[in-house]
Amino acid sequence: MEQSTLTSNPQIVTDFLPLNGTDHIEFYVGNAKQSAYYYQSAWGYELVAYAGLETGIKDRASYVLQQGKIRLVLTTSFDPESDISQHVRKHGDGVKVLALWVDDATKSYEETIKRGAKSVIAPTRMQDEHGEVVISAIQTYGETIHKFVERKNYTGAFLPGFAPKKSNVPVKPIGLKYVDHCVGNVELGQMNEWVKFYEQVMGFQLLITFDDKDISTEYSALMSKVVSNGNGFVKFPINEPAEGKKKSQIEEYIDFYKGAGVQHIAIATDNIIETVTELRARGVEFLYVPETYYEDVLDRVGHIDEDFEALKKLNILIDRDEEGYLLQLFTKPVEDRPTVFYEIIQRHGARSFGKGNFKALFEAIEREQELRGTL
Ligand code: FE2
């Protein structure tokens, strides 16, 4: 079992890409109006802004949803030939943009481009009566991009071109606080390339390495490395499939997503029992872990503050590292293709990713793959 930690890179003196956190996550979807309804009614996000025909945008519609510090943007195109429609045709509903909140989108662009990033959007100034925003973007794995969003001189609802809009369905927030991490799945042999990209081009540091001995079951395996930016606000685990007796869940994702892309978004809560109780009541489906998981979990993790019976009833997983413990749970994919899903996580000091749960978790995914005939 190999786990290595790198804490310093002597070549990095100052952070050339300071990040304030995740600005927003944009999905390209087939029907943004209906997706927005799902995120409002099931997940308790508030609609805060909208762009579309009614706001003078002729070729697409976007809904901006917010809960805590999390901002989701759901975008649909009206033009079958557009990049958005091509993206949906190829990948199904999926994450196009992992947008990062910066103080200087021009410098963020220049610093990453000079280190080898591929340009997607050169720095662009956008203005309206609420001020100005500067946006730039670079390519990451698959067709996913990182946008840099500089909004320090802006007071509008989201971005110029968007009008404020309120939910017209009842919305009850469920305690979602912020994006804890966003995981990418890449093709076999590509993990180290993308780790190198985050290190060299974006100044991230390698936080943790999981090899196939850490993450394997009887049937399938994967490898994972976690990179983090300087202040630790942005963490991107990168997975690649590994050899196993049967098909890796990462390979299944890549088969259905038709390439590399965002696998899951982990969202932090301060009360996972309440959050998951609400999500289950609203029909969100989670992976199932058998009762046997709970027989010896307390021997492994020791004392936890929460009501153990409640955790067990909700099928919430528990893990501990040197710094504390964490509670986590994973949804089933939230679209028909077995691609993007969510993790709900509550941290009590632990800064790791639930390694002690990997086996139970991957066996749960394999049971789902078996049902789909894709194992
Ligand atoms: Fe995760």
Side-chain angles (χ1 to χ4, degrees), residues 180-183 237 263-266 328 330 341 343 345 353:
D180 187 275
H181 58 274
C182 287
V183 181
Q263 178 210 37
H264 76 267
I265 300 163
Q328 64 186 165
F330 297 83
F341 60 89
E343 171 182 355
I345 184 164
F353 296 85

Side-chain angles (χ1 to χ4, degrees), residues 12-25:
I12 296 174
V13 182
T14 53
D15 190 351
F16 64 81
L17 183 62
L19 303 175
N20 300 323
T22 304
D23 189 273
H24 64 269
I25 296 171

Side-chain angles (χ1 to χ4, degrees), residues 214-235:
D214 295 323
I215 319 182
S216 71
T217 63
E218 189 189 344
Y219 293 125
S220 70
L222 65 90
M223 295 197 284
S224 187
K225 287 186 176 178
V226 184
V227 292
S228 167
N229 81 313
N231 61 17
F233 289 177
V234 177
K235 291 186 284 279

Side-chain angles (χ1 to χ4, degrees), residues 10-211:
Q11 283 167 345
I12 296 174
V13 182
T14 53
D15 190 351
F16 64 81
L17 183 62
L19 303 175
N20 300 323
T22 304
D23 189 273
H24 64 269
I25 296 171
E26 183 170 14
F27 287 77
Y28 284 173
V29 300
N31 186 336
K33 179 178 267 197
Q34 290 190 6
S35 297
Y37 181 81
Y38 168 74
Y39 281 105
Q40 288 173 91
S41 58
W43 290 80
Y45 284 86
E46 303 266 3
L47 181 62
V48 296
Y50 167 80
L53 292 173
E54 298 82 352
T55 68
I57 304 293
K58 302 284 186 224
D59 62 345
R60 64 188 186 279
S62 293
Y63 295 74
V64 184
L65 303 161
Q66 196 160 358
Q67 186 170 171
K69 292 181 179 169
I70 311 153
R71 219 188 261 128
L72 300 183
V73 182
L74 306 167
T75 296
T76 286
S77 169
F78 308 150
D79 171 6
E81 304 307 324
S82 70
D83 289 350
I84 298 166
S85 293
Q86 297 295 332
H87 196 275
V88 173
R89 179 173 184 228
K90 184 171 176 188
H91 304 294
D93 289 6
V95 174
K96 174 64 181 182
V97 184
L98 291 172
L100 303 167
W101 176 27
V102 298
D103 289 334
D104 189 337
T106 306
K107 184 167 180 284
S108 302
Y109 180 84
E110 288 167 357
E111 294 286 349
T112 50
I113 292 293
K114 87 176 179 208
R115 288 171 172 83
K118 189 170 158 232
S119 172
V120 178
I121 304 171
T124 305
R125 202 166 294 275
M126 297 151 57
Q127 288 170 314
D128 67 9
E129 69 271 28
H130 302 291
E132 67 164 39
V133 172
V134 184
I135 287 195
S136 59
I138 61 170
Q139 193 68 46
T140 179
Y141 49 76
E143 292 195 279
T144 318
I145 67 170
H146 288 310
K147 263 188 192 173
F148 299 118
V149 183
E150 172 188 332
R151 52 170 72 257
K152 59 180 186 287
N153 300 314
Y154 193 69
T155 57
F158 179 52
L159 295 176
F162 283 78
K165 188 165 179 167
K166 284 198 163 68
S167 295
N168 61 2
V169 294
V171 170
K172 200 177 146 219
I174 54 167
L176 304 181
K177 311 279 277 192
Y178 59 86
V179 174
D180 187 275
H181 58 274
C182 287
V183 181
N185 281 345
V186 300
E187 295 90 348
L188 186 65
Q190 293 299 302
M191 176 181 69
N192 286 328
E193 293 302 309
W194 286 107
V195 168
K196 209 159 60 177
F197 165 85
Y198 281 106
E199 287 177 329
Q200 294 179 356
V201 174
M202 295 185 68
F204 282 43
Q205 306 224 336
L206 180 64
L207 207 61
I208 311 172
T209 297
F210 301 107
D211 65 18

